[in-house]
């Protein structure tokens, strides 16, 4: 099944959190489950905070990427377009809020669930929960915006060239 | 010079963001600079968001660890105690807010600066900025709380044992 992140064009698929072309990244993959989006992620043993618990930065990172992926998928849906149809949607984060409601144990698979709160023009707001078994440990809210032209890699220039860098 | 994170006891020094004992982590190190705290961090080439820019999850992670380190240092200061004196202070994150004000270019060293907003009982609030040269790209606010007993590793039991895991 095609994940939201699988539809990112190659030049936009290097994200450390979810890029399929990043050799060192988390490779988060998100899917629709009816009206909500889901992703499953099993942290590495070194994704530690205090021993036994998942690092807050890693949790923030997967919340972030699940939200921006869901934002892109929601934008396709709002336009009645198929995921991956052209032109591509790709969102980046304007702001991220993460509440660590209880410690997240390190070991078991985590379930991320996203809810689309609003789709208005170039801005999409997503709420995300992270749970272990039946228990929600983290809640996040992410304000996502469509990738600005100034951040878009040139695909007609030399490989890897980025304007304004 | 001793970083805030250098005073964490060995059993609390495995954090992916700032633990000196995490072989795969970011190893963030924070210091006082007068009334503010500073840390310097050069992202790896694979800490990408869109090519040319730093990943938002990595930025959230270093903001988080700079804040919890600053919270510990602020707690020692509030008690008139030397950094690393016993009993140790170690803070974890209750909530994290990160505003990505502009894209952060990937390549140059980042400067993190922390401001202590409040120290009240077991709770410390820290504001953090991330800048590249003269330009602030990210602002964060982190609510830090002293490590609860339920998360504290047992140091008298078998190596690595964690209650409640």
């Amino acid at each position: 099944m095609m994940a939201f992140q699988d539809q990112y064009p190659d030049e936009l698929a290097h994200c450390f959190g979810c890029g399929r072309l990043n050799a060192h990244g988390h490779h988060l993959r998100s899917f629709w489950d009816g009206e909500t989006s889901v992703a499953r992620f099993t942290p590495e043993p070194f994704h530690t905070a205090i021993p036994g618990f998942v690092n807050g930065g890693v949790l923030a990172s997967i919340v972030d990427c699940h939200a921006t992926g869901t934002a892109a998928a929601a934008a396709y849906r709002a336009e009645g377009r198929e995921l991956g149809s052209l032109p591509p949607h790709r969102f980046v984060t304007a702001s991220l809020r993460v509440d660590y409601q209880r410690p997240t144990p390190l070991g078991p698979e985590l379930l991320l669930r996203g809810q689309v709160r609003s789709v208005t023009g170039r801005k999409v707001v997503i709420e995300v929960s992270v749970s272990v078994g039946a228990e929600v440990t983290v809640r996040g809210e992410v304000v996502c915006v469509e990738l600005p032209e100034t951040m878009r890699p040139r695909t007609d220039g030399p490989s890897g060239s980025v304007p304004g860098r």
Side-chain angles (χ1 to χ4, degrees), chain A residues 11 152-163:
Chain A
E11 70 275 16
R152 196 171 285 274
R154 279 158 46 191
T155 50
D156 57 339
S159 172
S161 69
V162 177

Side-chain angles (χ1 to χ4, degrees), chain A residues 25-62:
Chain A
H26 300 324
H27 298 133
L28 191 81
R29 300 179 77 227
S30 308
F31 303 89
W32 284 124
D33 176 23
E35 290 304 302
T36 67
S37 62
V38 296
R40 292 169 193 279
F41 182 75
T42 303
E44 300 289 340
F46 55 83
H47 287 153
T48 322
I50 305 298
F53 301 101
V54 183
N55 175 257
V58 172
L59 290 164
S61 189
I62 59 176

Side-chain angles (χ1 to χ4, degrees), chain A residues 19 22 30 34 37 58 94 97 125 136 146-148 152 163:
Chain A
N22 190 317
S30 308
S37 62
V58 172
R97 183 182 166 100
V125 179
V136 172
E146 188 89 48
L147 182 69
R152 196 171 285 274

Side-chain angles (χ1 to χ4, degrees), chain A residues 101-113:
Chain A
Q101 299 191 322
R102 47 183 60 83
T104 302
L106 181 61
E109 180 183 75
L110 311 180
L111 175 67
L112 293 95
R113 198 166 276 280

